[in-house]
Amino acid sequence: IKRERGRAYCVFSEHLRQELAVRSYVIAHIDEAVENGYIEIYYQPVVRTLTGNLAGMEALARWHDPVYGFLRPNQFIPVLEEERLIDKLDRYVIRECGRQLRRQMDAHQPIVPISFNVSRMDFQLMDVLSEIESVVRENGLPRDCLRIEITETAMVQDRNRILEMIDRFRGNGYPVWLDDFGSGYSSLNVLKDYHFDELKIDMEFLRVFNDTSRKIITSVVMMAKAIGIHTLAEGVETREQVEFLRSIGCEKLQGYYYGRPMPYDELVAHCRERHLC
Ligand code: C2E
Ligand code: CA
Ligand code: CA
Ligand code: CA
């Protein structure tokens, strides 16, 4: 038993050691990663349920590191948030989204709106609205082609500040989406107090696709409709899920069924192949 315990301890501490190593690596190299373009933005398609056409795309950060190889967002986003460095990444993401939209316009392609993720911490570290405004101005973009995703957990602290921010975004013409709806503890309160344009139903509800979860999703969609908020289901992976979501009137869908997050050029080819656009 002693030996077994020793081994378990070793495995555990090895894992922990690696995690700590990644952590300090991320902290020390975020500037370099942004400057040298190790961070790449992948885009995941969002489709309209009724037509199956592309409705937009979500920008998701990928870190291809020359030393560490591929780093997953869950290896660097939480670290950057805790260390109050997340604005370094998100400023870059917003700029990249702006450049991407400009390239679409220059190529005379129809503009596909991009949504990006804003962390609670971002509101303390940067003026998110002026960052977006300057990107829009510099690239000559129409305003509603950039959409802001804020997670439910962000609403727990800084209530008034975030409430005010959301109103300012919307007042300036930028749609705001509530991300990961249902994953936190304050879902209904959040809907009561804040004004969102769209609600993204957390993918956990589709992971267990049974009678109960279907009833929950149906109620969420009905409730959102009743209070005038659009709905998007995340994590759609099967045809069965698509048909169910269509039958209950969920307006937009996102998930591996339609495509994983991928570089923009790949997304364009993918959408052509799959007749999404
Ligand atoms: P999220 O905003 O909820 O993004 C959706 C996540 O679900 C993405 O993981 C996406 O790849 C994954 N996903 C999409 N469709 C499916 C599906 O059908 N099945 C399954 N199993 N998964 C699916 P990813 O890219 O690893 O991002 C994880 C989280 O990291 C994001 O969750 C978001 O909160 C955060 N994040 C990613 N990029 C950024 C960023 O640039 N800035 C900030 N602040 N956060 C980011
Ligand atoms: Ca999101
Ligand atoms: Ca989400
Ligand atoms: Ca999530």
Side-chain angles (χ1 to χ4, degrees):
I1 291 169
K2 229 181 195 173
R3 222 199 259 149
E4 291 272 294
R5 267 205 196 137
R7 203 178 298 144
Y9 177 75
C10 277
V11 170
F12 174 70
S13 66
E14 175 56 21
H15 181 77
L16 197 68
R17 196 190 60 76
Q18 267 176 27
E19 213 175 280
L20 287 173
V22 173
R23 198 187 165 85
S24 37
Y25 189 85
V26 164
I27 297 168
H29 293 85
I30 178 65
D31 284 322
E32 192 191 323
V34 166
E35 276 158 31
N36 298 351
Y38 301 156
I39 310 267
E40 189 184 0
I41 314 301
Y42 276 28
Y43 298 91
Q44 184 174 33
V46 170
V47 307
R48 249 178 263 288
T49 312
L50 282 180
T51 60
N53 286 337
L54 193 66
M57 48 196 184
E58 179 175 4
L60 293 156
R62 297 291 179 261
W63 185 328
H64 304 280
D65 196 83
V67 174
Y68 260 94
F70 184 70
L71 289 166
R72 298 208 56 79
N74 59 16
Q75 289 177 292
F76 59 88
I77 304 278
V79 179
L80 294 175
E81 283 175 342
E82 281 159 35
E83 298 295 323
R84 303 174 65 86
L85 296 168
I86 189 72
D87 64 307
K88 290 178 185 288
L89 173 74
D90 286 335
R91 280 177 212 278
Y92 175 77
V93 173
I94 296 170
R95 304 228 143 242
E96 276 303 303
C97 292
R99 276 187 216 121
Q100 184 51 60
L101 288 160
R102 184 66 243 174
R103 280 192 288 267
Q104 288 176 36
M105 287 173 74
D106 289 344
H108 305 289
Q109 289 164 352
I111 298 183
V112 183
I114 300 178
S115 64
F116 56 89
N117 296 281
V118 167
S119 298
R120 172 176 61 83
M121 194 53 73
D122 282 323
F123 294 115
Q124 294 178 16
L125 298 170
M126 66 197 258
D127 184 344
V128 183
L129 181 60
S130 21
E131 195 74 25
I132 300 171
E133 295 270 60
S134 74
V135 166
V136 162
R137 215 178 314 113
E138 282 162 29
N139 294 288
L141 306 173
R143 286 192 164 174
D144 69 349
C145 62
L146 282 171
R147 281 117 200 240
I148 301 140
E149 295 192 16
I150 305 176
T151 58
E152 198 182 83
T153 43
M155 315 295 155
V156 179
Q157 284 160 330
D158 304 326
R159 279 184 84 81
N160 291 334
R161 184 195 214 137
I162 292 180
L163 197 75
E164 193 203 309
M165 284 310 308
I166 292 172
D167 285 342
R168 276 180 63 207
F169 288 137
R170 299 186 73 228
N172 282 276
Y174 301 103
V176 181
W177 293 1
L178 178 56
D179 201 359
D180 296 348
F181 180 78
S183 65
Y185 296 103
S186 58
S187 306
L188 294 177
N189 262 323
V190 164
L191 282 186
K192 176 170 71 61
D193 298 339
Y194 299 80
H195 302 285
F196 294 98
D197 296 279
E198 194 155 320
L199 189 155
K200 296 187 83 169
I201 303 168
D202 194 73
M203 65 179 84
E204 264 317 300
F205 294 106
L206 285 181
R207 282 295 71 74
V208 221
F209 193 56
N210 58 24
D211 192 46
T212 305
S213 68
R214 276 194 287 267
K215 281 179 179 151
I216 294 174
I217 296 172
T218 306
S219 316
V220 169
V221 170
M222 278 173 60
M223 176 187 63
K225 271 191 204 305
I227 58 177
I229 305 179
H230 296 289
T231 47
L232 182 157
E234 284 191 278
V236 177
E237 293 182 355
T238 67
R239 181 158 193 97
E240 195 194 0
Q241 292 170 341
V242 172
E243 266 149 25
F244 161 70
L245 291 159
R246 184 178 296 148
S247 77
I248 62 166
C250 179
E251 286 139 313
K252 290 179 191 168
L253 308 175
Q254 178 181 359
Y256 294 168
Y257 182 81
Y258 293 103
R260 293 181 178 250
M262 55 194 121
Y264 182 76
D265 292 340
E266 256 175 59
L267 182 86
V268 172
H270 174 88
C271 289
R272 277 207 198 105
E273 223 168 84
R274 298 276 309 267
H275 304 290
L276 299 181
C277 46

